[in-house]
Amino acid sequence: MSRISEDGYPWDSVFHTRFRSMLRNVLPRTVVKWMIEQQMNRWFNHENYGLEPQNKYVMKEPVLNDDLPSRLLHGAIKVKSTVKELMETSAIFDDGTVEENIDVIVFATGYTFSFPFLEDSLVKVENNMVSLYKYIFPAHLEKSTLACIGLIQPLGSIFPTAELQARWVTRVFKGLCSLPSERTMVMDMIKRNEKRIDLFGKSQSQTLQTNYVDYLDELALEIGAKPDFCSLLFKDPKLAVRLYFGPCNSYQYRLAGPGQWEGARSAIFTQKQRILKPLKTRSLKNSSNFPVSILLKILGLLAVVVDFFCQLQWS
């Protein structure tokens, strides 16, 4: 995926809205995967570049890279099939081709994580999975005095996620929020693991991945900072619409609750202007010409109406 999305805005400001997150949650997984595939192929057809996965129905996190297709076009990168065998200075691929005189091989194996500075009983890692309540708290401690912040892979920015985690953790440490019983926390962890395996398969790269918007709301609910949409629809419908269809970011969790910020509403309504502000280094006069696209749409609508009445007259 390109970092640049619709109208040149960053991809996550377009992808991570409550409306789109709701669609991804309610639609069948096959439909969601098809929609994401179509979105990726709008930029360039991955099949033409040899980048389409053999099994595209196994969900993986997308790669954000603006340089790859252009480097493929001018020959700086060559896409190959799976490596079958490595020789002293060459590689044999499963399609029978051979690459000679190879200098360096980089193994993109991903990461494993551990906590060698802690006792194994405190934070236990098994098959690259950590048993933590909502990816933060060990469930078996007598007192909630230990938390892991940022040990998560959101499909989005880590900073809003880690910030909300920290806000919740500090309130737990202060005694302003309490955790449920150990049994409840263990059951929650089991359900999360089952859900991840069901959606993504037993892939190590997915063990700590979350639905970005849902997880932020889940954390905000713990500290009383989640926006109340029912109330906002009556008190401030314009803001409610912006929250639902606009980018989901940290400003939304400063509207109410602890850490409330008076400037949050204004920041939400002006965030797109501030995204584009650094790009406005060249002054341009506003065009007063009537947009051609709107004119074509109007003419097309008139043509449909005229055709409809003509059909009625002839019948």
Side-chain angles (χ1 to χ4, degrees), residues 162-224:
E163 182 203 17
L164 272 174
Q165 287 181 331
R167 290 170 67 184
W168 183 26
V169 167
T170 53
R171 294 184 68 78
V172 170
F173 287 172
K174 289 180 179 180
L176 300 174
C177 293
S178 59
L179 298 179
S181 66
E182 180 179 345
R183 175 181 171 81
T184 302
M185 289 191 283
V186 170
M187 292 302 296
D188 178 84
M189 291 187 291
I190 292 174
K191 289 179 181 178
R192 288 177 188 274
N193 291 339
E194 289 175 349
K195 184 178 180 181
R196 286 199 299 269
I197 291 173
D198 177 58
L199 291 181
F200 303 114
K202 297 179 181 179
S203 169
Q204 290 187 353
S205 65
Q206 302 289 350
T207 53
L208 297 172
Q209 193 172 77
T210 63
N211 185 311
Y212 183 73
V213 178
D214 290 350
Y215 185 63
L216 289 179
D217 280 349
E218 194 175 336
L219 295 175
L221 188 62
E222 295 289 345
I223 62 174

Side-chain angles (χ1 to χ4, degrees), residues 294-306:
I294 296 178
L295 180 61
L296 291 174
K297 289 178 182 178
I298 294 174
L299 291 174
L301 182 61
L302 289 174
V304 171
V305 172
V306 170

Side-chain angles (χ1 to χ4, degrees), residues 69-250:
S70 62
R71 290 179 181 271
L72 286 169
L73 276 176
H74 64 71
I77 293 176
K78 184 191 297 183
V79 180
K80 300 291 292 184
S81 59
T82 304
V83 175
K84 180 181 178 181
E85 186 179 358
L86 291 175
M87 308 302 286
E88 185 176 354
T89 59
S90 62
I92 303 173
F93 298 89
D94 61 4
D95 60 0
T97 59
V98 179
E99 286 290 331
E100 303 283 357
N101 301 319
I102 295 176
D103 298 308
V104 178
I105 297 177
V106 179
F107 292 90
T109 57
Y111 299 89
T112 57
F113 49 88
S114 61
F115 300 89
F117 48 86
L118 294 175
E119 296 178 13
D120 291 339
S121 59
L122 292 177
V123 180
K124 193 173 183 180
V125 181
E126 290 183 347
N127 298 321
N128 221 33
M129 295 180 69
V130 181
S131 297
L132 296 171
Y133 177 58
K134 299 195 177 182
Y135 312 107
I136 302 174
F137 294 102
H140 58 278
L141 296 184
E142 183 178 349
K143 294 183 179 180
S144 303
T145 56
L146 177 66
C148 298
I149 294 174
L151 187 63
I152 197 169
Q153 187 185 8
L155 185 57
S157 175
I158 186 66
F159 299 109
T161 306
E163 182 203 17
L164 272 174
Q165 287 181 331
R167 290 170 67 184
W168 183 26
V169 167
T170 53
R171 294 184 68 78
V172 170
F173 287 172
K174 289 180 179 180
L176 300 174
C177 293
S178 59
L179 298 179
S181 66
E182 180 179 345
R183 175 181 171 81
T184 302
M185 289 191 283
V186 170
M187 292 302 296
D188 178 84
M189 291 187 291
I190 292 174
K191 289 179 181 178
R192 288 177 188 274
N193 291 339
E194 289 175 349
K195 184 178 180 181
R196 286 199 299 269
I197 291 173
D198 177 58
L199 291 181
F200 303 114
K202 297 179 181 179
S203 169
Q204 290 187 353
S205 65
Q206 302 289 350
T207 53
L208 297 172
Q209 193 172 77
T210 63
N211 185 311
Y212 183 73
V213 178
D214 290 350
Y215 185 63
L216 289 179
D217 280 349
E218 194 175 336
L219 295 175
L221 188 62
E222 295 289 345
I223 62 174
K226 181 182 176 182
D228 185 352
F229 285 94
C230 292
S231 176
L232 285 173
L233 279 173
F234 293 99
K235 294 180 180 178
D236 196 341
K238 188 176 179 182
L239 176 61
V241 171
R242 186 60 64 92
L243 291 181
Y244 195 71
F245 293 98
C248 182
N249 50 35
S250 297

